Amino acid sequence: MSRKVAGRKLLLVNPVNSAKVGFSINLSSRFPPLGLGIVAALTPPDWEVELIDENFDRFRYREADLVAITAFTSAANRAYEIASIYRREGVPVVMGGIHASMRPEEAAHYVDAVVTGEVESVWSRILADAVSGALQPMYYGQLLNVADCRRPRREIYSAGYQFATIQTSRGCPLDCDFCSVTAFNGRRYRRRPPDQVLDELETIEAGLLFFVDDNIIGYGAPSRDLALQIFRGIVERGINKHWFCQASVNIADDPEVLEWASRAGCRMIFLGIEAEDDAALAAVNKRLNRKRGADAYELIFRRIHQAGIAVLGAFIFGMDGDTPDKLFRRADYIIQSGVDVMQCTAMTPLPGTRLFANLRRQRRLLFENFPRDWDRYSLTEVVHQPLDLSADELSEVLRTCMKRIYAMPVLKAKANQTLRETGRWDATEFAWQSNLNYREIAVAPTTFAAASLA
């Protein structure tokens, strides 16, 4: 049994996939584990709280009375491995986060208690049950009013993170086939009060910031007005930060929002473009993009550029209907488009999504020895059988496209484009560094490896 310390100690663990590097290869591609910071904030002061973050520190055993782990799908096995170490020592382990929420029965085989969904509604009960030795196998988090959300305890995070993170909303009504956000946070868009967000921003020391919301302006006029209050408040309070965020293409419809976002320090916006091809968008239920049409993309990019903001465009390779010719055209489009930063991933069916359920029902998943094969579900490996080409062909096409997209002459041309279109050196620097990060991921030897050779 583990040694009991004076008071009680909670150990938080942020595991990293040790089999592949993926998007954790770059320092600036890593972000603090916001959920664990919130758990720390929910924990009363009579508990000592420590974080092991494998983004920076390889795990080594620490004494604890309770261990809480979160994990993305590609790091689930590492989470289970660490959990087993503590369970052998008689230390109870709780696991939550996106993977455990999507695969609770699986996680229950490796930990003492599983938390599904948002943790705020159940954490105090978990602590009480742990103290009394009566942890339940499952705790079901409820979707609460986000105005009651705690600020994360940022002092537990490593000083090595280049970006701080903050959340202004939860939930997404769009429900794309490949996305598990709706399953985790619900379809109702819930916003925090602007003053609460601004007060938290004033406590963040880092000068670089990532708003983790899936769509920072949300949907509809009331949500748009709340986002605008945040942007104006940043300017009025003199909060001096450079930041990037995620949004849907509808952000380009509102020049006032873009103007105030830029004045507030926004230097880059992540847009889930996914494809320039309508059939590919239809295959993944990307309704908002289909409604606009690919022909509208350049106008969207131009409006964002006019506000002095760079565009990070996310694209997916391997959707149903994709052929080698279509994917080579997609690469050409990405290179020639007004997108400043290029994120390219293999279509990946993550658990909890309709895409995963459909492909599994169709027997098109290439790797189903779970949990072992979760290591492969990192967005950088072909893990399903495409419809119109083989998995090996898709892998080969991806590697060829990545060499073209991330060639240094292309990246330099993109940087010149960003400076010309935005007129801002800081937006250009954001875009340039981001492209270098994606290039390092894309050209890694294990990235987009052929399924038969992986």
Side-chain angles (χ1 to χ4, degrees):
M1 297 293 291
S2 62
R3 178 182 62 85
K4 297 299 180 182
V5 296
R8 296 185 178 89
K9 181 175 180 179
L10 170 65
L11 183 68
L12 306 175
V13 182
N14 184 37
V16 170
N17 182 344
S18 56
K20 296 189 182 297
V21 289
F23 285 89
S24 65
I25 190 171
N26 300 104
L27 180 59
S28 58
S29 298
R30 308 171 193 169
F31 300 102
L34 196 63
L36 292 180
I38 291 171
V39 168
L42 294 168
T43 302
D46 57 334
W47 285 77
E48 177 190 354
V49 179
E50 181 182 1
L51 170 64
I52 298 177
D53 187 348
E54 288 201 308
N55 275 322
F56 295 95
D57 299 308
R58 193 66 176 167
F59 170 82
R60 63 178 178 82
Y61 186 85
R62 274 95 153 173
E63 296 281 354
D65 296 280
L66 179 66
V67 175
I69 302 180
T70 187
F72 294 113
T73 290
S74 63
N77 283 309
R78 181 60 176 159
Y80 298 155
E81 180 183 3
I82 293 172
S84 69
I85 295 171
Y86 281 96
R87 295 186 84 195
R88 284 197 299 267
E89 296 297 319
V91 179
V93 179
V94 179
M95 184 173 177
I98 187 67
H99 184 79
S101 295
M102 300 301 106
R103 302 280 292 191
E105 293 82 7
E106 172 192 289
H109 288 293
Y110 300 93
V111 300
D112 298 284
V114 176
V115 182
T116 66
E118 298 174 6
V119 71
E120 285 91 345
S121 64
V122 295
W123 186 245
S124 62
R125 182 155 56 93
I126 290 171
L127 290 179
D129 289 350
V131 170
S132 64
L135 271 177
Q136 301 301 302
M138 289 284 172
Y139 295 87
Y140 301 97
Q142 303 299 308
L143 301 180
L144 302 178
N145 185 339
V146 292
D148 300 324
C149 290
R150 294 285 189 92
R151 300 177 188 173
R153 281 182 53 187
R154 291 186 171 83
E155 72 273 13
I156 69 171
Y157 297 147
S158 169
Y161 283 110
Q162 293 187 5
F163 284 84
T165 54
I166 189 170
Q167 186 174 52
T168 75
S169 64
R170 293 180 184 175
C172 179
L174 293 185
D175 202 20
C176 299
D177 284 358
F178 57 84
C179 182
S180 53
V181 169
T182 300
F184 188 78
N185 293 122
R187 297 196 66 169
R188 186 169 62 86
Y189 192 76
R190 295 167 289 146
R191 291 210 71 109
R192 296 173 63 193
D195 283 344
Q196 186 184 99
V197 175
L198 293 166
D199 291 344
E200 182 176 341
L201 281 170
E202 289 185 320
T203 70
I204 297 175
E205 296 181 0
L208 297 176
L209 187 70
F210 173 37
F211 284 89
V212 302
D213 308 60
D214 292 283
N215 185 352
I216 195 167
I217 66 163
Y219 308 90
S223 181
R224 172 263 190 198
D225 291 343
L226 290 173
L228 191 58
Q229 288 180 47
I230 293 173
F231 302 156
R232 284 176 168 162
I234 290 172
V235 176
E236 292 164 359
R237 296 196 190 193
I239 300 172
N240 184 24
K241 300 188 186 302
H242 287 173
W243 50 271
F244 75 103
C245 62
Q246 302 177 94
S248 293
V249 293
N250 62 341
I251 196 170
D253 297 339
D254 198 323
E256 185 180 19
V257 163
L258 287 173
E259 177 190 355
W260 279 99
S262 179
R263 291 178 62 182
C266 181
R267 296 297 172 258
M268 187 167 70
I269 296 176
F270 179 114
L271 298 179
I273 303 300
E274 322 311 355
E276 79 300 341
D277 179 72
D278 183 72
L281 295 174
V284 293
N285 195 35
K286 193 76 177 185
R287 290 173 295 164
L288 183 57
N289 288 30
R290 290 193 71 202
K291 182 178 179 182
R292 298 303 177 97
D295 291 342
Y297 284 161
E298 289 306 313
L299 176 60
I300 290 167
F301 305 152
R302 186 161 60 251
R303 287 174 173 173
I304 295 172
H305 287 152
Q306 288 170 349
I309 301 171
V311 176
L312 192 168
F315 294 86
I316 298 174
F317 287 65
M319 293 178 276
D320 283 355
D322 279 347
T323 64
D325 286 345
K326 284 186 176 181
L327 293 177
F328 288 130
R329 287 199 296 271
R330 185 160 304 149
D332 290 339
Y333 171 80
I334 293 168
I335 292 168
Q336 297 163 10
S337 74
V339 165
D340 304 285
V341 183
M342 305 166 290
Q343 184 198 83
C344 302
T345 59
M347 171 58 80
T348 303
L350 294 172
T353 65
R354 279 195 304 277
L355 179 66
F356 182 90
N358 291 340
L359 292 179
R360 194 170 202 186
R361 186 179 63 254
Q362 297 164 15
R363 298 184 179 180
R364 291 170 58 195
L365 296 182
L366 297 177
F367 305 103
E368 292 189 87
N369 186 3
F370 301 130
R372 187 188 71 181
D373 284 340
W374 291 130
D375 289 351
R376 298 177 178 272
Y377 286 66
S378 61
L379 308 181
T380 60
E381 182 173 350
V382 177
V383 296
H384 81 289
Q385 174 56 56
L387 277 185
D388 297 301
L389 68 170
S390 72
D392 285 350
E393 284 178 308
L394 176 56
S395 297
E396 185 59 35
V397 169
L398 265 166
R399 287 198 298 274
T400 301
C401 289
M402 294 309 102
K403 289 178 182 178
R404 290 166 56 182
I405 289 170
Y406 293 105
M408 286 306 297
V410 173
L411 300 194
K412 291 177 181 178
K414 286 290 185 182
N416 287 331
Q417 169 187 287
T418 306
L419 182 59
R420 180 177 65 252
E421 298 297 328
T422 67
R424 299 195 66 107
W425 282 103
D426 45 12
T428 303
E429 179 67 14
F430 253 65
W432 171 251
Q433 290 298 330
S434 298
N435 273 330
L436 290 180
N437 291 341
Y438 286 127
R439 181 179 191 271
E440 190 174 352
I441 296 166
V443 302
T446 56
T447 300
F448 307 122
S452 61
L453 302 177

